[in-house]
């Protein structure tokens, strides 16, 4: 039987999930839920209903796992615990500082209803987190570095778009080249957040909006921008379409460490991504973890998990014997 | 309580494990087992006994997890199932083609005795396998590539040393630069085993040994050399000491894939290692998985696992809450 998958929220990420579910041999799209007028939403998959978000609870018997595709700022803290009452759930909650609180809320809901939730799935948090954990566990005498970009951060662009007077926004995260080189050379530099990345924001503002206020609100936004050197540029809607329509991203997690009696041997572990489309790649990761959540659920598990708690075999549609034959 | 760890086999890998256990805050070395005369083996750790391998079963109550540090060709197929009768066990079995058979034998022994075994741990198989699994699960429409080196393969050097007339050997695995570049550029080339790597073997032969026969036996060795272009060079013991005393290694697992309605967006996932000391790094991975085996055992699990089956949180001495706070 195919894993019946729901998508809750149909923006860039929702479309990325849709494409990934389409490519999964053991999953099928059961429904898309939206807070917009369902009649106005065209999805790629044929013969799949687009339903109002409010109707999701009624689909409890017809969907195995719900992939939440809303934003971390205001959507997911409310939606993930709510949907965990009815389905196994997956989200991409990425406000690092608030993860423990979100985990606790989702865990309560999922345990009470007997569902499995996996939160903070994607590449960071997600695959990058796995690599930070591997690096620290294998090379405890060492130091790790995460670099993002150059690329568009959806979470940060979304946060800027919520500011009054902003019509559209695109935020690029850019590693500082000197910092990246020093780390790759094994120099283990001490780097502040500010020394590792710069942020560049392109904003289309409403006519007559107070640009100085918008710029200030961006630069002072906690967690998102306050610890970075941020450049804000106001552009036209036409320039936005022409120059900033893609959503590329990427980055690297690097662990630089030492082993041996005197720490005389040096090692470098690097995990890096080069992505043409961040939402499609993130959607692909969410979809693999949706498979995992469903399979953990069929084994009788319940409660909230993160990528740390899910054995990677659960991500694959192949059985253990095939995995050992082909990938070990 | 510290995890009481045994080392079974005290060569390069055993010494690497010893250093890693030393650096683990929650583990202690309980004993080292050797097939040599224990009196002839000096270990780094003070006040830890070196015992004959035959005495290992008598230590069943005093060791929680045994890390097997023998070779894949003849040691581990016998030792890992045998030791799984008495301890949680970890090995680095790396003859890819024989893994399913080894898994089955270890699984039988570990289930019967109620222990946890994790086999084929290290970086390949091991961390590289995890990355092949992630790549295939997240980007099913894609292709993966594993490159090794330039570096010394312990398993291959060991295999050559078992040939009659060989006193010492060092085998370097070298990626073909054109192949690596084509993959990183996202060209997804079709590459045979032979087109991806070359192998270079340095051999110190016994006086009067039949060098032509040694060279032939190396080049025709199944799984190890028969599918590669191999160069064999005979050198003196002095040249071996002078030029080939280190055991560096490394390599990359690269997944090149596509997403989107028409596969129009391309993505590259790369996991790479640069290691000064292969046995010390491998020993560090084995030690982290020894922690995992012990913890799975305390949860009442038994039977054989591979890296695919172990949630990565088990590798870390930190608890889930701390991991979510600091690494997610």
């Amino acid at each position: 039987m195919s894993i019946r998958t729901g998508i809750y929220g149909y923006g860039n990420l929702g479309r990325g999930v849709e494409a990934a579910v389409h490519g999964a041999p053991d999953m099928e799209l059961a429904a898309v839920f939206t807070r917009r007028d369902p009649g106005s939403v065209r999805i790629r998959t044929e013969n799949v209903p687009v339903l109002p978000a409010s109707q999701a609870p009624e689909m409890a018997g017809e969907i195995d796992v719900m992939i939440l595709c809303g934003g971390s700022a205001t959507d997911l803290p409310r939606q993930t615990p709510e949907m965990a009452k009815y389905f196994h759930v997956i989200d991409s909650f990425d406000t690092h500082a608030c993860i423990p609180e979100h985990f606790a809320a989702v865990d309560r809901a999922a345990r009470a209803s007997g569902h499995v939730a996996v939160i903070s799935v994607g590449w960071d948090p997600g695959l990058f987190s796995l690599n930070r954990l591997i690096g620290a566990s294998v090379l405890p005498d060492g130091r790790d570095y995460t670099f993002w970009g150059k690329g568009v951060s959806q979470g940060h662009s979304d946060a800027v778009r919520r500011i009054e007077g902003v019509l559209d926004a695109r935020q690029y995260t850019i590693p500082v080249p000197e910092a990246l080189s020093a780390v790759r050379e094994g120099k283990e530099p001490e780097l502040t957040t500010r020394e590792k990345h710069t942020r560049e924001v392109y904003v289309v503002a409403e006519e007559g909006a107070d640009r100085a206020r918008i710029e200030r609100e961006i630069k002072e936004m906690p967690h998102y921008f306050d610890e970075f050197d941020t450049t804000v540029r106001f552009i036209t809607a036409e320039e936005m379409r022409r120059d900033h329509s893609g959503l590329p991203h990427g980055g690297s997690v690097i662990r630089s460490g030492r082993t041996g009696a005197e720490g005389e041997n040096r090692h470098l572990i690097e995990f890096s991504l080069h992505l043409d489309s961040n939402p499609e790649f993130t959607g692909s990761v969410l979809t693999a973890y949706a498979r995992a959540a469903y399979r953990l659920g069929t084994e009788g598990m319940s409660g909230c998990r993160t990528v740390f708690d899910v054995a990677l075999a659960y991500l694959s549609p192949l059985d253990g014997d095939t995995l050992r034959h082909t990938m070990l």
Side-chain angles (χ1 to χ4, degrees), chain A residues 152-285:
Chain A
V152 176
S153 161
Q154 294 167 267
H156 288 77
S157 300
D158 194 51
V160 173
R161 277 193 290 267
R162 288 169 195 278
I163 292 174
E164 201 193 315
V166 173
L167 291 172
D168 198 3
R170 214 63 99 245
Q171 193 271 179
Y172 293 92
T173 305
I174 304 162
V176 174
E178 295 76 18
L180 190 51
S181 303
V183 171
R184 285 201 176 123
E185 288 163 21
K187 291 181 181 167
E188 299 194 20
E190 188 90 45
L191 298 167
T192 63
T193 300
R194 204 172 293 278
E195 287 168 336
K196 288 171 63 189
H197 299 90
T198 52
R199 296 197 183 276
E200 217 169 79
V201 187
Y202 293 85
V203 176
V204 181
E206 278 174 17
E207 219 181 294
D210 179 348
R211 294 182 171 199
R213 174 193 48 84
I214 290 172
E215 181 164 344
R216 198 174 58 243
E217 284 193 34
I218 293 170
K219 291 185 172 179
E220 294 176 356
M221 197 182 297
H223 308 315
Y224 284 79
F225 291 99
D226 61 343
E227 296 173 1
F228 297 86
D229 288 337
T230 301
T231 311
V232 177
R233 297 181 207 283
F234 291 90
I235 60 175
T236 66
E238 174 51 28
E239 288 169 328
M240 182 65 83
R241 260 190 304 276
R242 191 190 62 204
D243 304 331
H244 305 283
S245 63
L247 292 168
H249 218 318
S252 294
V253 172
I254 304 174
R255 180 79 180 185
S256 183
R258 293 159 300 283
T259 63
E262 310 294 331
E264 67 277 19
N265 287 313
R266 306 181 71 87
H267 309 281
L268 206 76
I269 309 175
E270 178 164 356
F271 178 82
S272 64
L273 296 172
H274 293 89
L275 312 175
D276 271 3
S277 165
N278 184 3
E280 287 181 7
F281 185 81
T282 302
S284 298
V285 181

Side-chain angles (χ1 to χ4, degrees), chain A residues 27-327:
Chain A
M27 300 174 74
E28 59 180 278
L29 186 61
V32 170
F33 297 91
T34 179
R35 285 177 300 183
R36 289 175 278 165
D37 167 17
S40 74
V41 176
R42 276 189 67 88
I43 68 171
R44 177 186 158 211
T45 317
E46 290 178 3
N47 302 318
V48 165
V50 180
L51 303 171
S54 59
Q55 268 186 34
E58 297 163 34
M59 297 289 281
E62 288 161 69
I63 289 175
D64 297 310
V65 58
M66 184 73 90
I67 304 181
L68 293 152
C69 299
S72 296
T74 59
D75 298 336
L76 298 176
R78 197 172 39 76
Q79 292 170 356
T80 311
E82 175 65 17
M83 287 300 108
K85 294 179 187 171
Y86 310 104
F87 313 100
H88 303 308
V89 294
I90 299 292
D91 79 19
S92 62
F93 187 77
D94 69 356
T95 310
H96 287 260
C98 304
I99 284 172
E101 184 187 346
H102 186 57
F103 183 91
V106 174
D107 192 52
R108 273 193 301 275
R111 281 186 196 280
S113 68
H115 289 107
V116 172
V118 191
I119 63 157
S120 301
V121 171
W123 56 277
D124 196 3
L127 303 185
F128 272 21
S129 317
L130 291 179
N131 281 278
R132 284 188 285 265
L133 176 54
I134 288 171
S137 302
V138 170
L139 296 174
D141 180 12
R143 193 184 265 271
D144 66 55
Y145 299 88
T146 302
F147 291 95
W148 300 277
K150 181 181 177 175
V152 176
S153 161
Q154 294 167 267
H156 288 77
S157 300
D158 194 51
V160 173
R161 277 193 290 267
R162 288 169 195 278
I163 292 174
E164 201 193 315
V166 173
L167 291 172
D168 198 3
R170 214 63 99 245
Q171 193 271 179
Y172 293 92
T173 305
I174 304 162
V176 174
E178 295 76 18
L180 190 51
S181 303
V183 171
R184 285 201 176 123
E185 288 163 21
K187 291 181 181 167
E188 299 194 20
E190 188 90 45
L191 298 167
T192 63
T193 300
R194 204 172 293 278
E195 287 168 336
K196 288 171 63 189
H197 299 90
T198 52
R199 296 197 183 276
E200 217 169 79
V201 187
Y202 293 85
V203 176
V204 181
E206 278 174 17
E207 219 181 294
D210 179 348
R211 294 182 171 199
R213 174 193 48 84
I214 290 172
E215 181 164 344
R216 198 174 58 243
E217 284 193 34
I218 293 170
K219 291 185 172 179
E220 294 176 356
M221 197 182 297
H223 308 315
Y224 284 79
F225 291 99
D226 61 343
E227 296 173 1
F228 297 86
D229 288 337
T230 301
T231 311
V232 177
R233 297 181 207 283
F234 291 90
I235 60 175
T236 66
E238 174 51 28
E239 288 169 328
M240 182 65 83
R241 260 190 304 276
R242 191 190 62 204
D243 304 331
H244 305 283
S245 63
L247 292 168
H249 218 318
S252 294
V253 172
I254 304 174
R255 180 79 180 185
S256 183
R258 293 159 300 283
T259 63
E262 310 294 331
E264 67 277 19
N265 287 313
R266 306 181 71 87
H267 309 281
L268 206 76
I269 309 175
E270 178 164 356
F271 178 82
S272 64
L273 296 172
H274 293 89
L275 312 175
D276 271 3
S277 165
N278 184 3
E280 287 181 7
F281 185 81
T282 302
S284 298
V285 181
L286 288 172
T287 301
Y289 275 94
R291 172 185 294 122
Y294 170 77
R295 292 171 65 191
L296 286 165
T298 61
E299 293 180 5
M301 306 287 175
S302 71
C304 192
R305 302 277 191 286
T306 72
V307 294
F308 297 150
D309 310 308
V310 178
L312 294 172
Y314 286 98
L315 303 187
S316 170
L318 305 173
D319 65 28
D321 199 44
T322 308
L323 291 178
R324 287 188 294 275
H325 267 90
T326 59
M327 293 188 197

